Amino acid sequence: MRKKLLLVMAVGAAITGTMVSQGTALAKTSSPQNMSSSKTTHTVEVVIDSKNPEKTVTEEFDMTTLTGIGPDDHNMWNTYKTTKPFKITNEFRHKIVTLPAGTVVSGLSDSNGNLKTINNMSISTKKQKAIFSKLGYNKTISYPVDQENGIAKNKYLRNTAYSYNSREVIPTLPKKTVNAQYGDYPAIINVTADNYLTYHSLKRYGPDGRYGINYAYTSASKIKKFIRTKSSLTYYLANPMSGVTTKRVRVGKHYRYRVKLTIGKSFGMSEKYNGDPIGTGNTINNNGKPEFYF
């Protein structure tokens, strides 16, 4: 059974050709080079009309296209750079944070270039602290106060460990456990706009968790170097991380801590309480072993 995805999800359309990019976390990527991709390309059925979910097309994806579903106004992983200060709020809309001009963000937009949601987990680590200290808890999504904000008219054009072709390189990746078949998210990793790999663990709030869930900060490490190919995404971190498997390797004159992500096996997913099938998930291996999924 192949996964059927709405356009707001994070797997998608193939980038033509084959590409190898590497550099420091802040550097522009290098020129494309040829490499075999016969064992690294996967396919997925993508819903192309949200009003008609049975209307699908089959698309290829690999480690360079995990966030490649289009069009832009239905892709929550597109990246933008703001040109003026803007206010965001939480789901209850009773607390507000103002972020400065020049903030790099991602989120869903409309067809008029207005950002409708903000991905809190990939905003720079410094701005995340400001958001969560004022909004009160680590929700993954926030909302612009001004609905006519024009933020999505200004794409973020730098190619970094965080963004490539104006899209986040990786989506939010949940930790894979035995409950991944039910879509459980016990913890998540993200790459932030200031090129940190972050790990947040699930935390319920309120008596017996009845007010919902958030994701508590656990660890983060600066990405000092990255290599991006169709078969893998490799990050060389400044320090090891709690919750994420790393391998200590020599890089030039320094020791770094390697995270190497590759696409693993697909697995069936179902509703937890009635067993109804809901599609398939895809394992993401880290340093050769299953650790995350999407």
Side-chain angles (χ1 to χ4, degrees), residues 25-26 78-82 102-106 151-168 192-195:
L26 295 176
N78 289 325
T79 56
Y80 310 99
K81 187 172 184 179
T82 63
T103 299
V104 177
V105 297
S106 66
I151 292 173
K153 295 178 181 179
N154 189 42
K155 291 184 176 182
Y156 181 60
L157 299 177
R158 297 190 68 183
N159 290 331
T160 68
Y162 157 74
S163 180
Y164 178 77
N165 280 349
S166 299
R167 285 196 173 106
E168 289 189 29
T192 64
D194 54 347
N195 299 294

Side-chain angles (χ1 to χ4, degrees), residues 14-21 33 35-42 60-65 228-233 261-263:
I15 296 175
T16 57
T18 304
M19 169 263 303
V20 176
S21 305
Q33 301 176 27
M35 64 174 287
S36 173
S37 60
S38 60
K39 296 183 180 180
T40 63
T41 300
H42 297 244
E60 292 184 345
F61 69 95
D62 54 47
M63 291 306 292
T64 68
T65 61
R228 176 170 48 242
T229 74
K230 296 190 76 171
S231 61
S232 64
L233 294 171
L261 305 178
T262 56
I263 297 177

Side-chain angles (χ1 to χ4, degrees), residues 200-213:
H200 289 74
S201 54
L202 179 69
K203 182 178 180 181
R204 300 187 181 276
Y205 67 98
D208 301 320
R210 65 173 174 262
Y211 296 148
I213 58 176

